[in-house]
Amino acid sequence: MTEISVAEAKTRLTGLIHRVEGGEVVHLTRHGKSVAVLMSESDYAAMHPDRTRPGLWDAIADWRTQAAFDWPDLTPQEVDGWRDPSPGRVVDWTD
């Protein structure tokens, strides 16, 4: 285990990343207290195997299959009936 101050890590970041890619774990300290850890992406992924997130549409499809409520069977004519057919307000654009 390697400990290094945040200030020193700023100047040695490239070297630290190479060490981390080699499997080493680096603890960053501030005023002698550990505040962060540098580790390889593969080590991080091994710690969090469930962190792969589905795409947006996959998440929506999954949510729809798990939804516990009935979707109403509506026709386009029913939906059109919800709209107010009156014209919109008059806007004066001369100002």
Side-chain angles (χ1 to χ4, degrees):
M1 177 181 82
T2 300
E3 283 190 7
I4 189 169
S5 72
V6 173
E8 188 176 348
K10 288 179 186 180
T11 61
R12 297 178 48 196
L13 183 60
T14 302
L16 292 174
I17 289 174
H18 287 298
R19 290 168 68 174
V20 165
E21 288 174 330
E24 190 172 339
V25 176
V26 178
H27 291 260
L28 302 177
T29 62
R30 182 178 291 131
H31 305 295
K33 294 182 181 179
S34 185
V35 294
V37 176
L38 289 177
M39 67 174 53
S40 69
E41 180 66 29
S42 59
D43 287 346
Y44 181 78
M47 290 174 53
H48 302 283
D50 59 335
R51 298 280 292 192
T52 57
R53 295 172 40 182
L56 174 63
W57 296 116
D58 293 332
I60 291 172
D62 187 44
W63 172 76
R64 284 183 173 168
T65 60
Q66 295 178 18
F69 51 88
D70 290 331
W71 292 94
D73 293 325
L74 299 172
T75 64
Q77 293 78 20
E78 289 175 298
V79 174
D80 284 340
W82 297 343
R83 298 181 184 167
D84 183 0
S86 62
R89 67 176 195 256
V90 176
V91 177
D92 182 13
W93 294 97
T94 59
D95 290 340

